[in-house]
Amino acid sequence: MSSPPRELPLIPERWWAPLGLLAVLLLVLWAYWQGLHGPFLFDDFGTLPKLGEFGPVHSWAVFWRYITAGGGDPTGRPIALLSFLIDARNWPAAPWPFKFTNLVLQLANGTLLAALLWRLGRVLEPAGTRAARAAVLGAALWMLHPLFVSTTLYVVQREAMLAAFFVLLGLLAYTRGRRLMLAGRNKRGIAWALLGLVGCTFLATFSKANGALLPLLALVLEATVFARQPLAGSSRRQWRVMLWIFAALPALLLLAYLLWTGLQATLHHPEVRRWTEPQRLLTEPRVLWDYLKLLWLPRPFSTGLFNDAFAVSRSLWHPADTLPALLGIIALIALGWRWRRTHPVLALAILFYFAGMALESTTVPLELYFEHRNYLPAMTMFWPPAWWLSDLRRWRGFRGTLTIGLPLLLALLTLQRAVLWGHADQQAMLWARINPHSARAQAYAAQFEAANGQPQDAERRLLPLLAAHPDQVQLAFNLLNVQCRLGGVQPPAAQAARTAMATMRDPGTLLTSWFARAIAVARSGQCPGFDLPLLQSLVDAGLHNPRIKNNAGRQQDLHYLAGSVLLARGRAQAALGELSYALGFDIRPGFAAAAAAELGSAGHPRLALALLDSYRQVAPLTPAPGFGMGMVHAWVLREQDYWPRALAQLRAALQNAAAAKDHGTATPSMTAASGASSPSRTACGGEAARRPEDNRPVCKTGHSAA
């Protein structure tokens, strides 16, 4: 008796993975959507205003000035700057298009990750659909993880997302090349590998510097998963030569640079922020364990963008978990290396993660802690559990439940965090509650409280923290602002501000940002106790601060501010002396234009012309830009004759103003006279930026913080 015909499934098994990926992408879109309505934040205002720094990007001349103006690292990150033109061609702009493009990029990265994991899975199990199921689930757990909300919805972190995008493309090209080598198509295989290792490394690095890790990550794939699929004969020899030249050598050069940086830090160990570089090295293992905790124990909310209160390791014994954290990281890396042949999936997750952290969590003197640094390194983190869950030979029901339940759980957590990112005021209050010892978080929350009619709450928030951290100018300045709303600045708050100025570490461009507004308020007399003598005393305290005595950028800022205060007090000749002295700390045409425009706008065009004359004399001493995109930007400006034309236009406007003043007629506006592309179209001389702390325009009169 013949058996009944077997019914075919409604959907072939090979379609489950593509349909599952589509469902995951829709789930990601749903989880993130409400977060798209949030505002720009913090470092967004340090990068995005470049869209309007030289005028609207509507011509090739402006385009080249814009695309070479990046300063995040020596590469300038021009690929990231280029991507922002998708969303706007001028500044200010609306945040929604930028955030939506980031979300599209997140979906693209998740799709590429699924493709990469599928290819790696096919190496371990060529037959069947386990590789496809594990790839979709591994990519889903990464895409939907709530930790990456602070990358996707933080516009400026498109730099990190683009670097990851090109790294994924590069690894896909590399894996295709290796597969062609197995098939004996050596020339095509080598070509594809070089496309990944050279072309995509270039694009990734010029999105963000950690894209330079692509060759090292390719070596991790080779040492783990591809160890199961060795090449033979001439293919093996050619592949090894290619790997040594285009993967091992770049990786060794990068590691040598990191070792050299660490050696310099050990020998000199300057105090970069609130820590020395050796102390940062000791702290990073504890930071990495904290990252791993966030990755494996996800939660709806975290410390977010405020991690300035993270405890610094002063020695191997303080805090007590410093040495155990360091030994634990070493043990994990050793286990990953030992398991690379017996447990390649697990070994890949471990080694890929720590290789991906090599640039930002070792010797380069960056901030201690940022969640977005996990974005690229954690891409293979969830492949081991996905690989295990995709084996349906046993515990099919249990594994199937987790396969569906885990992405849904992560989606709900991500939704909660994304909703918070859509409401800046709620976000500020929550981050302040989670980070009670963070000066940045408390100052940010106090700004919202003051703006929302709760200055008393803001004052209560700031006073105890300022007492505990008297060197935090951000807290001191915000306290002055809050007391102005309460009726006037009290003497203790003024003294606290002087103390903060006298003891602060490098405050970045916060000084010029706050003083630009403070001078206008002091001149208006609308806040009792907040006057120009107070501002002068603050600047004087800063000039006597031993911590920034050798910081040329901050000294230039302070003397510039001293000149601005003197100008506001009617002492124009003394102001000219301070501004001319400030110019000597870092001779730049932008600074000279900004200072001259300020003197001219204050009704002293002849003094402004004198300052331009002083600049003309010292202009040959202008330091050459360092190696990197700054050199290219200087070349672009030189080829376009930008500064000579801009300064000539400003000089003509000042001469007209001087003549008009001599004849008693109306003085032309410096801003209007200088034209849209002139350096004096803003008070910053065409070098406008914004500070993370207060989201307002500032003048880059000195060097930005490292």
Side-chain angles (χ1 to χ4, degrees):
M1 183 176 180
S2 61
S3 59
R6 184 178 178 183
E7 293 186 10
L8 294 175
L10 184 62
I11 301 176
E13 188 175 1
R14 68 178 182 273
W15 286 102
W16 279 111
L19 291 175
L21 180 60
L22 177 61
V24 169
L25 295 176
L26 292 174
L27 191 60
V28 172
L29 198 64
W30 170 77
Y32 272 97
W33 192 259
Q34 293 189 55
L36 299 180
H37 302 284
F40 292 118
L41 290 171
F42 311 121
D43 288 344
D44 290 342
F45 294 102
T47 298
L48 298 180
K50 293 183 186 300
L51 286 163
E53 183 171 330
F54 299 98
V57 188
H58 292 158
S59 68
W60 283 112
V62 177
F63 171 82
W64 290 115
R65 291 199 292 267
Y66 162 72
I67 208 69
T68 60
D73 54 49
T75 70
R77 306 175 184 178
I79 304 296
L81 291 178
L82 181 64
S83 76
F84 294 134
L85 293 176
I86 297 171
D87 312 303
R89 302 287 182 87
N90 200 358
W91 186 261
W96 196 94
F98 291 86
K99 292 177 182 282
F100 179 73
T101 302
N102 275 25
L103 179 54
V104 171
L105 187 55
Q106 171 72 350
L107 299 176
N109 282 344
T111 304
L112 292 176
L113 177 60
L116 177 63
L117 295 180
W118 175 73
R119 284 192 179 176
L120 297 176
R122 290 293 298 273
V123 174
L124 301 177
E125 188 175 289
T129 58
R130 181 183 183 184
R133 291 195 302 270
V136 171
L137 181 56
L141 297 178
W142 177 83
M143 271 192 285
L144 289 163
H145 201 290
L147 187 65
F148 304 125
V149 171
S150 60
T151 306
T152 306
L153 295 181
Y154 193 6
V155 172
V156 75
Q157 289 312 321
R158 187 179 303 175
E159 300 164 343
M161 300 179 76
L162 279 170
F165 175 80
F166 290 114
V167 166
L168 287 169
L169 282 180
L171 293 178
L172 283 168
Y174 176 83
T175 57
R176 176 172 174 78
R178 204 180 190 286
R179 188 172 60 180
L180 289 169
M181 295 293 287
L182 278 171
R185 303 170 71 179
N186 292 1
K187 289 184 178 179
R188 291 193 64 185
I190 294 292
W192 273 100
L194 291 179
L195 177 64
L197 292 176
V198 179
C200 290
T201 296
F202 177 86
L203 293 172
T205 304
F206 280 86
S207 298
K208 191 175 182 181
N210 64 343
L213 294 168
L214 197 162
L216 179 61
L217 298 176
L219 291 174
V220 171
L221 297 187
E222 196 69 35
T224 54
V225 174
F226 287 129
R228 294 285 188 92
Q229 198 180 57
L231 297 169
S234 63
S235 296
R236 181 173 182 270
R237 288 193 297 273
Q238 292 179 35
W239 191 255
R240 286 175 66 88
V241 170
M242 186 276 301
L243 277 182
W244 271 107
I245 296 173
F246 296 102
L249 182 59
L252 288 171
L253 289 174
L254 180 61
L255 293 176
Y257 165 75
L258 294 175
L259 288 172
W260 179 82
T261 306
L263 179 62
Q264 294 297 308
T266 302
L267 294 176
H268 303 292
H269 52 82
E271 188 177 60
V272 179
R273 291 180 177 86
R274 57 190 176 91
W275 36 264
T276 64
E277 292 185 34
Q279 289 170 348
R280 183 185 189 276
L281 276 173
L282 289 174
T283 307
E284 285 306 304
R286 295 174 41 243
V287 171
L288 289 171
W289 280 110
D290 208 62
Y291 290 157
L292 291 171
K293 182 172 65 175
L294 291 173
L295 286 165
W296 287 105
L297 298 173
R299 63 194 73 169
F301 308 116
S302 66
T303 53
L305 304 184
F306 295 115
N307 297 286
D308 51 303
F310 194 89
V312 177
S313 293
R314 305 295 177 184
S315 70
L316 285 170
W317 327 109
H318 180 74
D321 59 344
T322 301
L323 181 59
L326 176 60
L327 295 176
I329 296 297
I330 294 172
L332 269 180
I333 296 173
L335 284 174
W337 183 254
R338 182 175 181 180
W339 291 341
R340 69 190 188 281
R341 296 184 184 276
T342 57
H343 301 86
V345 176
L346 188 56
L348 174 65
I350 295 172
L351 296 178
F352 193 97
Y353 181 77
F354 289 112
M357 286 291 185
L359 198 62
E360 293 182 300
S361 297
T362 54
T363 60
V364 180
L366 306 171
E367 289 274 10
L368 295 177
Y369 189 122
F370 275 121
E371 292 176 355
H372 66 257
R373 291 176 185 165
N374 291 274
Y375 188 80
L376 171 61
M379 282 186 160
T380 62
M381 180 70 68
F382 307 108
W383 193 36
W387 187 257
W388 181 80
L389 289 171
S390 298
D391 183 1
L392 301 180
R393 291 172 296 182
R394 291 186 299 173
W395 303 345
R396 189 183 186 98
F398 173 71
R399 295 184 184 189
T401 301
L402 286 180
T403 297
I404 297 173
L406 287 177
L408 289 176
L409 174 61
L410 291 177
L412 291 173
L413 296 177
T414 294
L415 173 65
Q416 288 181 273
R417 192 174 295 200
V419 168
L420 186 71
W421 274 75
H423 298 84
D425 52 347
Q426 297 176 22
Q427 188 180 53
M429 295 303 109
L430 180 65
W431 279 345
R433 190 160 62 249
I434 295 175
N435 301 285
H437 303 295
S438 165
R440 297 175 184 172
Q442 300 307 319
Y444 186 51
Q447 290 172 19
F448 276 93
E449 287 174 329
N452 293 332
Q454 300 170 297
Q456 294 90 349
D457 293 340
E459 185 180 43
R460 284 193 294 270
R461 179 184 300 278
L462 294 170
L463 283 172
L465 201 61
L466 183 57
H469 303 282
D471 61 340
Q472 290 288 335
V473 287
Q474 187 174 341
L475 295 173
F477 288 171
N478 273 277
L479 180 60
L480 295 179
N481 296 342
V482 166
Q483 289 199 346
C484 275
R485 290 179 179 267
L486 289 171
V489 169
Q490 302 301 313
Q495 182 56 44
R498 282 188 285 268
T499 300
M501 289 288 291
T503 58
M504 65 182 174
R505 296 174 175 87
D506 188 349
T509 52
L510 172 62
L511 292 180
T512 48
S513 127
W514 184 78
F515 270 89
R517 301 187 304 279
I519 290 173
V521 173
R523 291 183 67 176
S524 70
Q526 64 189 34
C527 175
F530 193 87
D531 51 23
L532 292 172
L534 169 63
L535 297 184
Q536 186 68 60
S537 71
L538 296 180
V539 174
D540 290 342
L543 288 170
H544 289 89
N545 184 339
R547 286 178 168 171
I548 58 173
K549 182 178 180 181
N550 297 319
N551 186 325
R554 296 294 81 80
Q555 289 296 311
Q556 185 177 65
D557 285 348
L558 287 166
H559 285 285
Y560 175 89
L561 294 173
S564 297
V565 173
L566 287 168
L567 192 60
R569 300 182 72 177
R571 299 173 59 187
Q573 195 66 45
L576 173 63
E578 286 287 351
L579 294 173
S580 299
Y581 186 70
L583 176 63
F585 285 96
D586 184 11
I587 302 169
R588 292 180 295 114
F591 182 88
E598 183 162 357
L599 285 165
S601 297
H604 304 284
R606 294 204 178 279
L607 295 182
L609 288 168
L611 189 140
L612 290 181
D613 290 339
S614 298
Y615 168 71
R616 178 182 290 172
Q617 293 176 2
V618 299
L621 302 177
T622 301
F627 180 77
M629 190 56 68
M631 183 185 300
V632 178
H633 184 64
W635 177 82
V636 168
L637 295 179
R638 188 167 58 251
E639 287 297 303
Q640 295 182 2
D641 203 30
Y642 178 79
W643 281 117
R645 288 189 296 107
L647 291 174
Q649 190 174 3
L650 176 59
R651 181 179 290 275
L654 290 167
Q655 288 170 342
N656 291 337
K661 187 173 183 181
D662 291 343
H663 291 86
T665 57
T667 302
S669 165
M670 289 301 101
T671 303
S674 58
S677 62
S678 167
S680 59
R681 61 188 170 79
T682 70
C684 303
E687 297 183 42
R690 291 181 185 249
R691 273 302 292 168
E693 291 83 358
D694 54 17
N695 295 355
R696 302 204 184 193
V698 307
C699 297
K700 288 186 182 175
T701 54
H703 304 282
S704 60

